[in-house]
Amino acid sequence: MIGLGKLERYVMSRMLTSVGSALAVIAAVIILVSFVNLSREVAVRADVGVAQLFALTLLQTPSIVLLLLPFVFLFGGMAAYVGLNRRSELVAMRAAGISAWRFILPSAMVAAVIGALVVLVFNPLAAAASARYESDRANLMENYLTDAPKEVWLRQGDDRTQMVIHARQRDTAEGRVRLKGVSLFVYQKNQQGRPEFKRRLEAAEAQLYPGYWKLTDVKEASAGESSVRSDSLSIRSSLDAESAMERFAAPESIAFWRLPAAIRLTEQAGFSANGYRLRFQQLLATPVLFAAMLILSAAFSLRLARLGGLAGLAGAGVGLGFVVFFFNEFSGALADADIIPLFAAAWAPPVVALLSGLALLCYTEDG
């Protein structure tokens, strides 16, 4: 905070305190609701203790908190500025001829910096916790899960060879990838770039090691030839355990640093990587979204308390925050359907929110 005066530092400290309080309240609510939901979900397991449920809840919480962080800045910012307003501190600032821009813009810049740190640091931690949650939940509910996928489809490849992998069951416990009842279909691209079927392998089990799949109890059949049996066989793989498990996960559960590799591997395998690209752009736009939410919170909180209508403005600010959230989700759905470009879907909601907040501030402060 070098170069900032006492006033800016004071307002910023009030803002950070309110944002921290809002984060604590929202996180507590998330933990409570998640704990209750998990208690109902695993009620079929009589041997599950409270400690295990609470550990699962803590692993699930970061990913939900990450989703709701824009509301943390909206609610925290409104609490800070409404508090300054009700204590007549804003009246004193305006009487001294101090513009709201002087203390709002530094706070918005701090929100953007926090957004960058969230993307670079907290997002990978939340993704790791989410992956651990899925693994621990699967182990805890083994043979009890009714909604677990029965089949697995994977695809890997490069410029010359494509491989489609089908399995009846998967095991991703302890960071390993083990498939059972496996069928592998190997294709090779011809001179025209079209894939041609080369061989099929059936295996009782396939386990992924660095750089290769190890198949056991294998039956191999090439096009136009009889099948050959072998006890084990190794097949080169461009996947590692983490990238393979990412194929089972939604783009939201992949860490920011892993998204470029996930995009590359997905496109090499012949799949569309639009979901990963959209998520990557949304994470890049996160600092703008946090700054926009803080500016919106200020725009709806600076009306002098003695003029009345402050509660209505605050409620309108909360409503506009939900509109921005649903606009963001709606834009993502349109991008998934290839209706609008990915870049526009990711950046339009935060930019529109930022411009709306700046316009409201200009109207409030400068008339």
Side-chain angles (χ1 to χ4, degrees), residues 101 292 295-296 299-300 320 351-362:
W101 296 104
I295 290 176
L296 280 174
F300 283 95
L320 184 58
V351 169
V352 169
L354 179 63
L355 294 179
S356 300
L358 292 175
L360 286 172
L361 274 179
C362 288

Side-chain angles (χ1 to χ4, degrees), residues 156-163 185-189 198 236 268-269:
Q156 66 177 48
D158 51 31
D159 295 337
R160 295 188 302 172
T161 304
Q162 297 287 327
M163 183 184 301
F185 305 88
V186 182
Y187 298 83
Q188 190 169 0
K189 292 184 179 180
K198 288 298 181 182
R236 186 171 63 88
Q268 283 183 353

